[in-house]
Amino acid sequence: MARLDYSAPGVYIEEVNRGSRAIEGISTAIAGFVGFTEDVRNGAEVFKPILVTNWSQYLKYFARPNSDGYTDFNAYLPHAVNGYFLNGGGRCWIVSIGTQLPGTPKPTALEPATVKINSRGNRASLIFNLRPEQAIGGPIEILVSDGSPRPLPEGTEGEAPANTGEYFTLQIRRGEDILEQYENLTMNSEVQPQVGNYAMAALRNSMYVTVVEASQAGRPLARRPVNGQYELAPPIIPSTPDRFARDVEGLRDDRTGVRGLFEIDEITMIACPDLMRGYEAGLMTLEQVHGIMELMISMCEGSTSGDIPNPPNRMVLFDPPPDRVKPQEVVDWLNNFNRRSMFAALYYPWVKVANPRNAGRPILVPPCGHMMGVWGRIDETRGVHKAPANEVPRGVIGLGYDINFREQELLNPLGINCIRNFPNRGIRIWGARTLVEPEATEWRYISVRRLMSYIERSLELGTQWVVFEPNDAETWARVRRNVSVFLERIWREGALFGATAKQSYYVKCDAQINPPETRMLGRMYIEVGVCPVRPAEFVILRISQWDPSASEDAAA
């Protein structure tokens, strides 16, 4: 780095950075889901988003122990998330809006406020229950670890008690805080006080839990609880029907619901499959469903315009209502919703998948989760500029309605992306449009909208170094190099149209667009123009009869 003063004679070495700073492309396929789950445990909280990277991790947070993760009331979120991962989706954030439909009777299954810890013989050893007065404090954790018998008092002669392996230590924690700790525990009810503590007698004084000994048969070593960390969470209180719509919407400051999901900067695509489950169950009217859909669109648009301080690179995926099965019904519903946006996409019809809770028999579910998984797969294998269409959605065994060519002629111009079943080609996604107004042709395609969002967000993050730099010609030149290198890279990947780089993009940052009056205000303007590739949605083969002899006569 150059020095600003040279006081003593000598030779000085300076390292000068002549190159441009590389702009790294952002992740484009990180999903956000809102819906019902079977359980909420291991640190996950109701209505608050949590990161999940695979199906096993989903089961850790949202399934009961040794469960398949689906629900007895056919919530759509588990099917959507599984379809997302099955189709190539990666990271996603999930907001659970409860473990049962509001207004339904409480399940007769084991309450989450109870945890059973097995012995080494895989039989129940201890059963812990959270004291009711502690439920408001949130979940606690029970940690079982190796222990030892009580050592002889200092100065006492004799042989120390043998460590038979039956002793253990038990901690009760909340977060990083140790609430209670019990040492020298054993399942031997006749243990001598100078050697150890009978676990049931010691834990009887706990302020946080009550404990039941599952069995007194067998040796203490065989009945010793297995080491591990066990969560004891208060019962999940379901939302009431009159509050359900507000809870789904959530609060930005509390990071809950749909609004909380929008506060996660890395999320780029969002869906709420159980909006339709709430509508089916009578928890929400169609107008309330439209209200949540409108909120999702408005937050995407507000982020782009700068009205909402969130990243401007989100899209939302919608599903038609379950009682709108035929094409004309979907068209009428969409006209009734009457909201258009380049940041929304709609897929139709619903898809059939296997339902593990019904012996693998088919169940119709919203297609949004499977579609977002395909988006992620295409981003990974081809790039965000490739339209996520003419692809096979994995895990789909049928469709809720078999669309034909004439029916798609009605749906496609309205931005309704069809999923169709083709003879000998299988089920394929046969649409790649946004829900933008028909006349806004420049934003007609999903791939164009997402490519522009990718470029905008990448440039926003990749030019942060410019802030507080001198607003002069040298900085302008570095900015032009910086941005041009990034755009040339994505042009070479096939994301921009043009035989040469100059035909594909331009970058302008000079005195013409940064005159003295704007520099006085501390502003630097960078103008970027790109020519995105668009999908070949209509392939026209022009065929005619050709007479080669007539052509030769004409040439002569």
Side-chain angles (χ1 to χ4, degrees):
M1 182 176 179
R3 294 177 56 171
L4 298 180
D5 63 322
Y6 299 95
S7 300
V11 177
Y12 296 85
I13 303 297
E14 296 179 355
E15 292 184 356
V16 180
N17 183 8
R18 298 289 186 187
S20 60
R21 303 190 182 201
I23 295 178
E24 184 177 354
I26 62 165
S27 296
T28 55
I30 299 175
F33 289 96
V34 179
F36 293 106
T37 59
E38 184 190 29
D39 202 352
V40 180
R41 62 192 185 99
N42 287 329
E45 299 180 63
V46 179
F47 296 113
K48 292 195 174 181
I50 190 169
L51 177 65
V52 172
T53 59
N54 53 56
W55 182 246
S56 297
Q57 199 172 50
Y58 174 86
L59 296 179
K60 171 186 173 183
Y61 291 126
F62 297 112
R64 293 173 185 162
N66 303 315
S67 172
D68 55 21
Y70 297 88
T71 66
D72 293 330
F73 59 93
N74 289 334
Y76 296 132
L77 176 73
H79 295 282
V81 174
N82 188 42
Y84 173 73
F85 288 128
L86 192 62
N87 279 279
R91 298 201 305 273
C92 67
W93 291 77
I94 295 175
V95 174
S96 172
I97 55 176
T99 58
Q100 55 182 308
L101 292 171
T104 58
K106 290 186 177 182
T108 57
L110 194 67
E111 289 285 355
T114 299
V115 65
K116 178 179 67 174
I117 302 179
N118 288 341
S119 66
R120 294 181 175 180
N122 204 28
R123 295 181 179 180
S125 175
L126 296 174
I127 301 174
F128 289 80
N129 295 279
L130 186 67
R131 289 188 180 274
E133 62 271 21
Q134 297 298 330
I136 59 174
I140 65 173
E141 292 178 342
I142 298 170
L143 280 78
V144 178
S145 58
D146 290 330
S148 61
R150 184 174 284 115
L152 293 174
E154 197 171 324
T156 302
E157 296 183 359
E159 187 175 350
N163 190 349
T164 60
E166 67 186 77
Y167 297 93
F168 61 97
T169 298
L170 189 143
Q171 284 185 350
I172 298 176
R173 304 170 63 103
R174 178 170 282 141
E176 298 297 324
D177 298 328
I178 300 176
L179 305 178
E180 294 176 345
Q181 180 164 314
Y182 302 91
E183 298 179 341
N184 316 119
L185 299 181
T186 175
M187 300 301 292
N188 182 6
S189 59
E190 299 178 356
V191 65
Q192 296 298 316
Q194 65 272 21
V195 176
N197 299 317
Y198 177 41
M200 296 302 299
L203 292 167
R204 191 176 297 125
N205 300 320
S206 173
M207 296 175 56
Y208 297 90
V209 297
T210 59
V211 188
V212 176
E213 188 173 12
S215 174
Q216 294 183 345
R219 300 173 60 84
L221 179 60
R223 292 187 288 118
R224 178 203 186 282
V226 175
N227 290 353
Q229 182 172 322
Y230 308 90
E231 184 181 58
L232 188 55
I236 298 172
I237 302 174
S239 178
T240 58
D242 59 329
R243 280 194 54 89
F244 180 68
R246 282 181 291 172
D247 288 339
V248 171
E249 178 180 337
L251 296 173
R252 177 192 171 194
D253 292 341
D254 294 339
R255 303 293 193 269
T256 59
V258 171
R259 290 186 180 273
L261 206 58
F262 271 87
E263 294 302 307
I264 309 298
D265 285 351
E266 68 173 3
I267 293 176
T268 61
M269 45 190 181
I270 298 175
C272 189
D274 277 323
L275 271 182
M276 296 309 169
R277 188 67 189 90
Y279 171 65
E280 278 183 318
L283 301 172
M284 304 175 73
T285 65
L286 205 54
E287 286 72 22
Q288 288 174 301
V289 171
H290 292 168
I292 299 295
M293 293 167 63
E294 164 63 30
L295 170 70
M296 296 167 74
I297 291 177
S298 296
M299 294 193 72
C300 290
E301 294 178 342
S303 300
T304 300
S305 64
D307 300 330
I308 299 176
N310 292 132
N313 59 327
R314 273 77 179 269
M315 284 195 70
V316 295
L317 281 80
F318 292 143
D319 309 294
D323 54 0
R324 306 303 198 268
V325 179
K326 295 183 179 180
Q328 188 59 54
E329 293 173 342
V330 177
V331 170
D332 293 341
W333 163 74
L334 185 59
N335 290 335
N336 181 45
F337 178 43
N338 199 26
R339 182 65 159 94
R340 289 284 169 174
S341 176
M342 69 179 78
F343 296 98
L346 172 67
Y347 287 90
Y348 162 80
W350 284 28
V351 296
K352 286 182 183 178
V353 299
N355 186 6
R357 287 298 171 94
N358 191 19
R361 296 181 179 89
I363 180 175
L364 280 173
V365 301
C368 58
H370 293 72
M371 299 302 106
M372 287 200 294
V374 173
W375 287 19
R377 185 172 82 214
I378 296 301
D379 287 1
E380 183 71 22
T381 58
R382 298 287 301 276
V384 68
H385 62 278
K386 165 66 173 69
N390 200 1
E391 296 288 329
V392 176
R394 300 168 187 162
V396 174
I397 58 178
L399 300 174
Y401 184 87
D402 193 9
I403 305 168
N404 61 35
F405 178 80
R406 293 301 179 192
E407 289 168 331
Q408 188 166 10
E409 284 187 316
L410 167 69
L411 302 174
N412 197 63
L414 300 177
I416 302 173
N417 297 316
C418 295
I419 308 170
R420 294 180 58 185
N421 194 352
F422 292 95
N424 301 319
R425 297 189 67 225
I427 296 172
R428 291 185 177 262
I429 303 168
W430 211 243
R433 293 194 175 194
T434 68
L435 280 177
V436 75
E437 298 86 350
E439 62 272 15
T441 55
E442 68 272 25
W443 300 112
R444 174 175 291 173
Y445 297 109
I446 294 170
S447 54
V448 173
R449 175 64 268 173
R450 297 184 70 231
L451 172 63
M452 295 300 293
S453 294
Y454 166 72
I455 293 174
E456 292 165 5
R457 182 63 171 161
S458 298
L459 291 180
E460 177 191 355
L461 297 178
T463 56
Q464 293 294 316
W465 64 271
V466 184
V467 180
F468 296 114
E469 287 292 303
N471 199 351
D472 59 13
E474 182 179 351
T475 303
W476 299 339
R478 294 175 64 193
V479 168
R480 290 195 298 269
R481 289 195 301 269
N482 191 23
V483 176
S484 296
V485 168
F486 170 71
L487 294 177
E488 182 172 354
R489 186 171 75 246
I490 66 172
W491 166 67
R492 292 185 182 279
E493 292 172 355
L496 302 179
F497 181 84
T500 64
K502 287 185 178 181
Q503 295 175 351
S504 302
Y505 65 86
Y506 74 88
V507 182
K508 190 172 184 178
C509 184
D510 53 24
Q512 183 180 358
I513 63 172
N514 291 291
E517 53 268 27
T518 62
R519 299 202 301 271
M520 288 293 292
L521 297 175
R523 300 176 182 175
M524 178 191 292
Y525 289 93
I526 308 167
E527 187 176 307
V528 178
V530 297
C531 183
V533 294
R534 287 175 166 79
E537 187 180 19
F538 310 104
V539 179
I540 299 96
L541 300 176
R542 291 177 173 171
I543 303 174
S544 63
Q545 295 187 30
W546 176 54
D547 185 351
S549 61
S551 300
E552 291 174 0
D553 293 341

